[in-house]
Amino acid sequence: MFRKLIDIAGRECRLMYRNTIYLFCMVLLPIFVVVFFTTLLSDGQPVNLPIGVVDLDNTTTTRSLLRNLDGFQSTQITAHYTSVNEARTAMQRGEIYAFLYIPKGTTQGLMSSTQPRVSFYYNDVVMLAGSTTMKDLKTICTLGSAAVGKTKLEMLGKTEDEIMTFLQPIKVDLHMLNNPWANYNVYLSASIVPGILMLFIFLITPYSIGTELKFGRSKEWMQIAGNNPFIAVLGKMLPQTLIHLLVFYGFEFYIYHILQFPHPGGVLPIMLLGLLAVLSAQSFGVFCFGLLPSLRMSMSVCSLWAVLSISLAGATYPVFAMDSFIQGVAWLFPLRHYYQCYQVCIFNGFGLHYAWVHWVCLMCFMFLPFFVLRNIRRAMLEYEYMP
């Protein structure tokens, strides 16, 4: 049995060496994805997002307000417009993400306490840019009214403590655990990049099995394995597993050691999670081909499953806020369990037993190929490839 495994693994290495698709999908593209996403989000948060201003009041107070807005790190005033229609057109063209509208008489209304209305418009199609600009615009409007209130109270002879107590009766003491910088690179790269790496594994696994049938090598493959589908699949997956693990562990070394992503959970959960992520993705790929022994259909199902898993992992939108049916379906995606294990055991530093259900689910994916091994054997020995 060991000799057959070595022969099939050596045969697979030769096939991988001759086919450049393996080099691109297993090494070059994953490395590109890792570098691309971690570099794209290297600043942690978006900075200098372009916004516009429609200041029809144009007083010392409003100009001071705009200077404070321009001083925020996330936003930058790039244009002044004479009307709301002109600013709205610029936002529709994609020139700015938001604009602030200050009508005439705003300063006078502030001084006379008639509650003037200041409006801001933001484009929420780009969710991150929209939420960031909305936060800055809302903050500057709140600070503007507070500044006027402070000036009035100072004129009445109130002390600094009395003024702050009146303007801010409750002081919020905010502590962001494990990621106090609110670094989006930590949140997104640690979940999206593994999802894309698992996408490549999903695709290359049924491709490597399906090409045996496509190029007429299936009977030779089974003959080397003694018509034992378990030995055949295990020997074929072994070299790919080693390469996938090398890439996955390289990614984890890069983000946790070089980029210093927070990981209070330690090295053991990182290593274990990387191993289970690769094995669960490969097992699901083998299962899809055994269920649908067609190169085209199995790769289509795997690609669809991988793309949906990024949405259902819970990194960008919480799963518990989704429909109850979607919450149940989310358990069928390996990336969902990967993200839960990462969030609980690596990012927050809790013990493995706090996410034991998700660890067990990742292990359960590894048993899926056993249900379709007989079907794979029959496909390799009896089926004819149909493009």
Side-chain angles (χ1 to χ4, degrees), residues 279-280 282-288 290-291 305 332 334 361-373 376:
L279 294 181
S280 62
Q282 281 189 304
S283 300
F284 187 83
V286 174
F287 174 75
C288 284
L291 201 63
W305 215 254
L332 303 178
C361 288
L362 281 176
M363 296 177 187
C364 288
F365 279 101
M366 298 164 53
F367 293 96
L368 289 178
F370 290 98
F371 295 98
V372 295
L373 286 177
I376 292 177

Side-chain angles (χ1 to χ4, degrees), residues 149-168:
K150 182 180 179 182
T151 303
K152 287 185 176 181
L153 292 173
E154 287 175 347
M155 293 172 61
L156 295 175
K158 300 294 183 179
T159 64
E160 186 72 21
D161 291 339
E162 291 175 331
I163 293 173
M164 293 307 298
T165 301
F166 178 78
L167 294 177
Q168 192 179 18

Side-chain angles (χ1 to χ4, degrees), residues 331 336-338 340-341 355-363:
W331 287 81
R336 167 61 179 165
H337 305 291
Y338 173 93
Q340 286 297 102
C341 294
W356 69 270
V357 175
H358 300 284
W359 291 106
V360 171
C361 288
L362 281 176
M363 296 177 187

Side-chain angles (χ1 to χ4, degrees), residues 15-30 200 203-205 207-208 211 214-215 240 243-244 295 299:
L15 293 175
M16 293 165 59
Y17 177 77
R18 291 197 294 263
N19 193 341
T20 55
I21 290 180
Y22 290 98
L23 175 64
F24 275 94
C25 292
M26 298 174 66
V27 180
L28 298 183
L29 288 179
F200 290 126
L203 293 177
I204 206 67
T205 300
Y207 172 82
S208 63
T211 49
K214 178 179 179 179
F215 297 116
Q240 298 182 27
I243 296 176
H244 291 315
L295 177 62
M299 291 187 67

Side-chain angles (χ1 to χ4, degrees), residues 104-121:
K104 191 172 182 60
T106 299
T107 303
Q108 183 180 358
L110 284 171
M111 297 305 175
S112 60
S113 300
T114 57
Q115 291 185 330
R117 178 173 297 180
V118 176
S119 305
F120 54 86
Y121 301 81

Side-chain angles (χ1 to χ4, degrees), residues 84-156:
V84 172
N85 287 335
E86 185 180 348
R88 178 177 55 80
T89 302
M91 189 166 66
Q92 290 175 337
R93 290 175 179 170
E95 299 172 1
I96 56 176
Y97 287 109
F99 68 89
L100 177 65
Y101 170 56
I102 303 176
K104 191 172 182 60
T106 299
T107 303
Q108 183 180 358
L110 284 171
M111 297 305 175
S112 60
S113 300
T114 57
Q115 291 185 330
R117 178 173 297 180
V118 176
S119 305
F120 54 86
Y121 301 81
Y122 58 95
N123 184 359
D124 210 24
V125 173
V126 184
M127 186 178 297
L128 181 58
S131 61
T132 302
T133 53
M134 184 273 290
K135 180 186 68 175
D136 285 358
L137 290 171
K138 185 177 181 180
T139 301
I140 202 64
C141 292
T142 305
L143 292 177
S145 60
V148 174
K150 182 180 179 182
T151 303
K152 287 185 176 181
L153 292 173
E154 287 175 347
M155 293 172 61
L156 295 175

